[in-house]
Amino acid sequence: MPTDARKQPWRILVTGVGGAPGFDLSRSLLRLGCHVIGTDANPLAPGLLLPDTTPYTAVPAGHPDYGADLLRLCRELRPDAIVSTVEQELSKLVALRRPLAGLGVRTWLPDQRAVDACTDKAAFHQVLTEHRIPTPRTFLPHEIDEALDGHPLVVKPRCGQGAQSVHFCRTKDQARVLCEPVPEPIVQEQLKGREFTADCLVDRSGRASVILRHRLLVKGGLAVVSSTFRHRKVEEHVRATLAAVGATGVCCVQGFICEDRPQQVVMTEVNARIAGGFPASEAAGADLVGQFLKGLFGLPVDHDRLQYRPGVRLTKYIETLAAGEGTT
């Protein structure tokens, strides 16, 4: 590991730069003066074209050579730390922490139990139910008969991120049919209410800062219009959820404010990585990436720097990053 955690500029390897979390995180790190090594399994990933970064096409997390390829890259490019924005990589990185540390590469990851709770929606439901935290009723395919009649349902992959393979339906029979093409499906009750995300930083002592934002317009699972807000009960439920799953470092929590329920706040998931819409929190004044970097390198997190202004709206849109002749 670096002999001086305060050395600058840090070399940070960011995975998944083809998605919004990795793309925007790379830009934030560049603004903070870091050298960014951007990786993605897709050679056409937009983040590989970001100026002033070192791009690298990596093997996907499910490939048997993923670990060997990552360690080889770290030996060649000598990053000071690795930050993953890809859910499927987290278990692999937890297993690789020791060899990465041997190469001087820092990580800030939860333990495997927490990763399981965050990446497996059935496990998440079980953990929150055990802690009596409101969460959608969740059923495996063979349990569909237990769902309430007349309630809209959602069929989605048990593991995965974004809105991929997510289907909405109104009856149990429709849910059974929709389960067939969905990989490892689960069925959940469909919630009605205001959807929110909490951008969070949990320091190594377990203290959490929480920045709340409404997901006003969502496309492909990504909040393209967000607005920060404050809500005491929502923040309490977010903190309870973080503690229940054992989250640490930068992460995000999602849920709904449902006015028609006795328990108005219902928690739907935790991502053990930075969220795609986190720039809204930074626009509202929270030094999310800067304080995450401090914690990553063993420095105290300044939670006062994670205060934010409510009512700040951020709108994202597609931009043209590069144009010119290329090969297919």
Side-chain angles (χ1 to χ4, degrees):
M1 292 186 180
T3 56
D4 182 1
R6 292 173 174 81
K7 83 167 192 172
Q8 287 279 8
W10 288 312
R11 293 172 60 81
I12 311 295
L13 192 156
V14 178
T15 72
V17 296
F23 187 93
D24 285 327
L25 176 61
S26 297
R27 280 188 158 171
S28 291
L29 292 170
L30 289 170
R31 286 193 293 268
L32 291 170
C34 296
H35 290 313
V36 175
I37 302 165
T39 73
D40 201 278
N42 187 341
L44 300 178
L48 298 177
L49 298 176
L50 276 171
D52 303 318
T53 67
T54 301
Y56 183 86
T57 303
V59 300
H63 195 282
D65 294 335
Y66 171 82
D69 185 66
L70 179 64
L71 294 174
R72 180 179 61 80
L73 178 62
C74 290
R75 282 192 293 268
E76 292 177 1
L77 298 181
R78 310 301 298 179
D80 297 310
I82 180 171
V83 181
S84 173
T85 67
V86 181
E87 294 285 309
Q88 294 87 341
E89 293 178 340
L90 296 177
S91 290
K92 300 287 184 70
L93 290 174
V94 168
L96 289 170
R97 278 188 294 193
R98 183 169 294 179
L100 286 169
L103 294 173
V105 182
R106 289 178 177 252
T107 57
W108 192 359
L109 298 163
D111 60 24
Q112 187 59 52
R113 171 190 166 275
V115 170
D116 290 340
C118 294
T119 56
D120 183 334
K121 293 178 178 63
F124 178 80
H125 175 265
Q126 181 178 353
V127 170
L128 263 64
T129 300
E130 290 172 353
H131 286 80
R132 298 183 178 180
I133 300 171
T135 192
R137 297 181 185 92
T138 299
F139 310 95
L140 296 175
H142 68 275
E143 300 170 329
I144 289 178
D145 284 337
E146 299 175 22
L148 297 176
D149 289 318
H151 286 254
L153 300 170
V154 183
V155 179
K156 60 179 69 173
R158 180 169 175 166
C159 302
Q161 61 191 88
Q164 297 178 357
S165 300
V166 175
H167 306 283
F168 298 91
C169 59
R170 305 196 65 83
T171 69
K172 299 177 186 179
D173 287 340
Q174 290 172 343
R176 288 189 184 90
V177 174
L178 290 170
C179 279
E180 293 181 9
V182 174
E184 293 188 86
I186 59 168
V187 179
Q188 292 184 324
E189 61 174 325
Q190 183 179 345
L191 299 176
K192 294 183 179 180
R194 300 195 71 185
E195 190 177 10
F196 67 85
T197 292
D199 295 313
C200 306
L201 183 59
V202 184
D203 68 22
R204 296 182 189 273
S205 71
R207 180 181 176 184
S209 280
V210 174
I211 305 106
L212 301 175
R213 53 184 170 86
H214 288 298
R215 293 161 60 87
L216 299 178
L217 178 61
V218 179
K219 291 189 176 183
L222 174 66
V224 294
V225 181
S226 298
S227 180
T228 55
F229 71 103
R230 295 191 189 280
H231 192 297
R232 181 184 58 80
K233 185 175 289 188
V234 171
E235 185 174 330
E236 289 175 354
H237 279 67
V238 169
R239 292 181 185 279
T241 301
L242 292 169
V245 302
T248 188
V250 67
C251 52
C252 72
V253 182
Q254 293 184 19
F256 282 79
I257 302 172
C258 304
E259 302 293 346
D260 61 342
R261 288 173 173 250
Q263 293 280 3
Q264 291 185 350
V265 184
V266 183
M267 312 308 298
T268 55
E269 64 181 284
V270 175
N271 299 130
R273 53 151 175 89
I274 199 162
F278 82 88
S281 293
E282 295 214 313
D287 182 29
L288 185 66
V289 177
Q291 295 307 309
F292 168 68
L293 271 180
K294 290 181 66 177
L296 176 62
F297 285 96
L299 304 175
V301 171
D302 184 353
H303 289 272
D304 289 338
R305 297 285 307 278
L306 292 164
Q307 298 296 316
Y308 69 100
R309 302 184 306 278
V312 175
R313 178 174 292 186
L314 183 135
T315 301
K316 297 174 66 71
Y317 194 68
I318 297 171
E319 65 177 287
T320 299
L321 185 63
E325 295 183 0
T327 59
T328 57

